[in-house]
């Protein structure tokens, strides 16, 4: 039977490490070692040549100094080559004083008059002295009777300047090699010290990298990045990442859609990418709080901002446009229910009155009573339809008039109102009028002579809307704040948010290049004026005139 497999930890196999800091440490050590070896080699390569050159220059200098002594040339011409002659004595004295390997004086035929080995005096030199005897100075490394040496050869001249011979000086090449070998340990010590410092720096950098990467492997980081990209672009919430300087580092697809920007916004400051306004202030953290509401274009956004450790922040955005619309519709529905409830009571009273008139057989009075009731509603609808030709806006005003009547507020159309059926964006104007009328009804309800007046007129292709009420009005100190998202003086409704109606009005007006302003009405209430340029299409007569 085969033995059971061993239990316990599996032995770790040697190989390339997986952790980021380990790989970076090894690569840094490899780079530091390679650079150190390369620098050492590049230093040693010219060092040998420099030492050779120094030795040849030294030999040439000794030869020049020897040839400059006039007694040597005089002795060369006046005596014979002898081991105890004056030339040998002078040359040996110079050799011992300078530490040269040899100082050889020769005549014009290349015969030695001096040599460290007296037995070689009187013999021809082993290397060609032709260049020196021709008057040239020679530096070279060559082999001779005493072995390899760095040599310097110069011509020897007599008192009249004629060449009487030559002087050859040699420096033992072993001494040059010894200097080179002696320099290597010190150089290696410096290189080892530099390598140790580089290894320590690499270790410190790798440790810091280990902390910053949380000891992850490259494959883990790649997987995290892939998962992050997939998650950011798949979630249905906008995500905006900012750096410490307020620049956009990241925008997922949903954030681009909600903010109305493209991928080119990445890397740009918030104010440059989004422009000035509450949305940029909320994203930049200048407005504190949770679940902050802001309006971007026609969208209502809910923003939450979370700071990051590096001084930046991550902002999440949720689209609450439909929810806000539903909330406003809920408010309108509740108001309509209350109005219907009051209308039900009023209708019951009218039916009882009509029944009483019929039971009393006052048929003529009953007919006049029904005619009067129907006529009031018909007159209101006809008045609106005559002055407001757009069907959506006319239907809105007729419905608001019914609600206003049940709340005890008179809703009337201002004199001079005339709006042709040529609106470019009827739904946008319906939103503007609906928000302003709702606010006006809330303000005017309960006041003496409660009144809301709506005026619509055109100036070319520009629509001017005025809505005034008999309410308390808007204090001058608050007129700059009422168009800000979240600002409201009313109690919170069921959906928990207010302060969006006037903000939407301002955004819709600005989107069409228009404006909205508030002032004091003649009755003392508030008067809102909205100017919408290019809100009307060209009339047929204008197009025909342009064609002609």
């Amino acid at each position: 039977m085969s033995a059971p497999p061993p239990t316990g930890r599996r032995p770790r196999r040697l190989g390339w490490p997986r952790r980021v800091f380990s790989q970076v440490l090894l690569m840094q050590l490899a780079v530091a070692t390679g650079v150190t070896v390369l620098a050492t080699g590049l230093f040693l390569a010219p060092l040998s040549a420099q030492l050779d050159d120094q030795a040849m220059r030294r030999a040439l200098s000794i030869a020049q100094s020897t040839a400059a002594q006039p007694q040597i040339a005089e002795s060369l011409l006046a005596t014979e080559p002898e081991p105890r002659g004056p030339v040998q004595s002078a040359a040996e004295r110079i050799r011992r004083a300078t530490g040269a390997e040899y100082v050889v004086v020769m005549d014009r035929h290349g015969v030695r008059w001096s040599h460290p080995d007296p037995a070689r005096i009187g013999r021809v030199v082993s290397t060609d002295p032709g260049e020196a005897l021709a008057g040239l100075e020679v530096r070279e490394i060559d082999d001779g009777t005493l072995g390899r040496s760095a040599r310097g050869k110069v011509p020897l001249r007599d008192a009249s300047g004629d060449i009487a011979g030559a002087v050859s000086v040699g420096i033992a090449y072993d001494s040059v090699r010894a200097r080179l070998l002696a320099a290597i340990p010190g150089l290696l010590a410096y290189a080892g010290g530099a390598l140790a410092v580089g290894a320590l720096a690499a270790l410190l950098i790798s440790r810091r990298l280990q902390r910053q990467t949380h000891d992850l492997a490259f494959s883990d980081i790649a997987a995290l990045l892939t998962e992050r990209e997939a998650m950011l672009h798949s979630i249905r919430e906008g995500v905006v990442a900012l750096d410490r300087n307020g620049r956009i580092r990241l925008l997922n697809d949903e954030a681009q859609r909600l903010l109305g920007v493209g991928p080119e916004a990445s890397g740009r400051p918030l104010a440059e990418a989004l422009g000035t306004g509450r949305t940029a202030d909320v994203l930049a953290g200048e407005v504190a709080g949770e679940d902050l509401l802001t309006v971007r274009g026609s969208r209502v956004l809910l923003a939450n901002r979370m700071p990051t450790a590096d001084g930046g922040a991550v902002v999440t955005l949720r689209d609450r446009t439909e929810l806000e619309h539903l909330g406003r519709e809920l408010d309108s529905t509740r108001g309509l229910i209350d109005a219907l409830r009051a209308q039900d009571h009023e209708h019951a009273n009218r039916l009882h009155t009509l029944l009483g008139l019929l039971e009393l057989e006052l048929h003529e009075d009953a007919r006049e009573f029904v005619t009067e009731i129907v006529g009031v509603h018909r007159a209101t609808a006809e008045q609106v339809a005559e002055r407001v030709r757009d069907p959506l806006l006319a239907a809105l005003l007729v419905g608001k008039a019914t609600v206003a009547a049940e709340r005890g507020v008179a809703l009337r159309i201002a004199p001079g109102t005339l709006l042709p059926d040529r609106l470019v964006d009827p739904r946008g104007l319906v939103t503007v009028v609906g928000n302003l009328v709702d606010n006006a009804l809330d303000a005017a309800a309960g006041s003496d002579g409660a009144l809301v007046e709506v005026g619509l007129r055109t100036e070319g292709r520009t629509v001017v809307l005025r809505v005034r009420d008999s309410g308390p009005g808007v204090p001058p100190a608050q007129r700059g704040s009422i168009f800000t998202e979240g600002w409201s003086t009313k109690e919170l409704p069921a959906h928990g948010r207010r302060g969006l109606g006037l903000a939407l009005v301002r955004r819709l007006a600005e989107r069409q290049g228009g404006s909205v302003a508030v002032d004091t009405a003649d009755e003392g209430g508030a008067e809102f004026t909205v100017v919408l340029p290019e809100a009307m299409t060209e009339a047929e007569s204008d197009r025909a005139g342009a064609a002609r």
Side-chain angles (χ1 to χ4, degrees):
M1 294 177 63
S2 59
T7 59
R9 294 187 59 184
R10 180 178 300 176
R12 186 175 181 179
R13 294 182 298 177
L14 296 178
W16 187 251
R18 296 180 64 250
R19 304 300 179 189
V20 174
F21 88 97
S22 301
Q23 294 188 24
V24 172
L25 177 60
L26 287 181
M27 288 188 289
Q28 288 179 327
L29 289 177
V31 170
T33 303
V35 170
T36 303
V37 171
L38 180 61
T40 304
L42 292 177
F43 183 79
L44 286 176
L47 178 60
S48 178
Q50 290 175 1
L51 292 177
D52 290 347
D53 184 69
Q54 289 177 4
M56 289 186 293
R57 287 179 181 276
R58 181 185 170 202
L60 184 63
S61 177
I62 296 173
Q64 290 171 341
S65 300
T66 302
Q69 298 182 20
Q71 66 272 17
I72 294 180
E74 293 174 358
S75 299
L76 178 68
L77 295 174
T79 63
E80 295 295 330
E82 298 177 355
R84 295 182 180 276
V87 177
Q88 170 71 359
S89 300
E92 285 298 297
R93 185 175 65 253
I94 294 173
R95 184 183 67 80
R96 288 190 295 268
T98 59
E101 185 179 18
Y102 63 85
V103 176
V104 174
V105 180
M106 67 192 78
D107 61 12
R108 291 182 57 84
H109 302 288
V111 177
R112 300 186 186 98
W113 288 65
S114 65
H115 196 277
D117 183 5
R120 296 182 183 274
I121 296 175
R123 299 180 182 179
V124 179
V125 294
S126 60
T127 58
D128 183 15
E131 292 183 359
L133 294 175
L136 301 176
E137 293 183 347
V138 179
R139 293 186 302 165
E140 62 182 0
I141 295 178
D142 202 355
D143 296 321
T145 57
L146 297 179
R148 193 170 181 80
S149 61
R151 301 180 179 186
K153 297 178 182 181
V154 298
L156 179 64
R157 299 179 185 274
D158 58 15
S160 61
D162 296 330
I163 297 176
V167 177
S168 177
V169 177
I171 303 296
Y173 197 74
D174 290 340
S175 63
V176 177
R177 185 179 301 169
R179 290 182 60 192
L180 177 62
L181 295 176
I184 291 178
L187 180 61
L188 293 179
Y190 284 115
L195 181 59
V197 173
L200 179 60
L203 179 61
L204 295 177
I205 294 174
S206 299
R207 287 296 184 186
R208 183 183 180 191
L209 185 62
Q210 180 183 16
R211 292 191 299 269
Q212 291 180 339
T213 59
H214 302 285
D215 199 17
L216 293 174
F218 276 115
S219 57
D220 298 333
I221 295 177
L224 287 175
L225 289 175
T226 303
E227 293 170 0
R228 188 199 71 161
E229 289 298 315
M231 178 182 65
L232 287 177
H233 294 291
S234 63
I235 60 176
R236 303 309 299 168
E237 284 192 4
V239 178
V240 182
L242 308 171
D243 62 13
R244 65 177 63 190
N245 299 318
R247 292 181 176 272
I248 299 175
R249 287 192 298 196
L250 173 70
L251 277 166
N252 70 343
D253 297 342
E254 185 67 6
Q256 295 176 23
R257 185 183 70 86
L258 296 178
L259 297 176
V261 297
E264 67 277 1
S266 296
R268 297 167 58 188
L270 273 174
E272 180 182 336
L274 304 181
T276 58
R278 178 176 169 84
T279 302
D281 294 341
V282 169
L283 266 64
E286 297 181 8
V287 181
E290 297 180 354
D291 293 339
L292 297 174
L293 280 176
T294 181
V295 177
R296 179 71 178 175
S298 60
R299 299 185 182 279
V300 180
L301 306 179
L302 191 67
N304 282 281
R305 190 176 190 273
M306 177 64 67
T308 57
D310 61 354
V314 175
V315 183
T316 58
L317 301 171
R318 282 178 285 170
D319 191 355
R320 287 183 59 95
T321 306
E322 295 183 1
L323 185 59
E324 288 299 325
H325 287 170
L326 289 175
R328 296 184 65 82
E329 290 179 5
L330 178 61
D331 288 344
S332 301
T333 302
R334 290 189 173 183
L336 183 59
I337 290 174
D338 293 338
L340 290 176
R341 187 180 295 112
Q343 190 175 15
D344 179 62
H345 289 287
E346 181 67 20
H347 185 64
N349 292 332
R350 290 172 180 173
L351 287 179
H352 292 159
T353 302
L354 180 60
L355 179 60
L357 290 174
L358 292 176
E359 289 181 350
L360 295 175
E361 297 183 357
L362 299 175
H363 302 99
E364 188 65 26
D365 293 336
R367 185 174 62 255
E368 293 178 359
F369 181 71
V370 172
T371 303
E372 179 182 358
I373 294 174
V374 174
V376 171
H377 292 285
R378 181 179 300 169
T380 301
E382 290 177 353
Q383 182 186 23
V384 172
E386 181 182 355
R387 298 184 180 184
V388 180
R389 305 291 174 79
D390 183 80
L392 288 179
L393 195 57
L396 172 71
L397 291 175
V398 171
K400 295 297 183 182
T402 302
V403 175
E406 299 303 332
R407 298 183 62 179
V409 180
L411 175 64
R412 70 184 185 190
I413 304 300
T417 294
L418 181 60
L419 183 68
D421 186 14
R422 293 187 288 107
L423 289 176
V424 174
D425 183 15
R427 294 182 181 276
L429 188 57
V430 164
T431 301
V432 172
V433 174
N435 280 289
L436 292 179
V437 170
D438 285 343
N439 288 339
L441 291 177
D442 291 339
S447 62
D448 294 336
L451 171 67
V452 173
E453 184 178 82
V454 179
L456 285 161
R457 60 185 178 86
T458 60
E459 298 176 358
R461 296 181 59 185
T462 301
V463 173
V464 180
L465 165 67
R466 283 190 175 88
V467 177
R468 63 186 182 92
D469 60 70
S470 60
V474 180
Q478 297 179 353
R479 291 176 183 176
S481 305
I482 61 174
F483 298 103
T484 303
E485 295 92 332
W487 190 94
S488 179
T489 58
K490 305 174 185 178
E491 296 182 358
L492 291 179
H495 52 90
R497 300 287 176 186
R498 277 202 183 275
L500 292 175
L502 292 179
L504 284 173
V505 169
R506 183 187 66 176
R507 289 301 176 90
L508 288 171
E510 291 177 349
R511 189 174 65 180
Q512 299 185 23
S515 62
V516 57
V518 60
D519 205 344
T520 302
D522 296 337
E523 293 81 2
E527 178 175 307
F528 287 85
T529 302
V530 180
V531 179
L532 301 175
E534 307 296 326
M536 303 288 294
T537 60
E538 292 184 1
E540 293 292 339
S541 58
D542 295 337
R543 287 197 291 268
R548 288 195 298 270

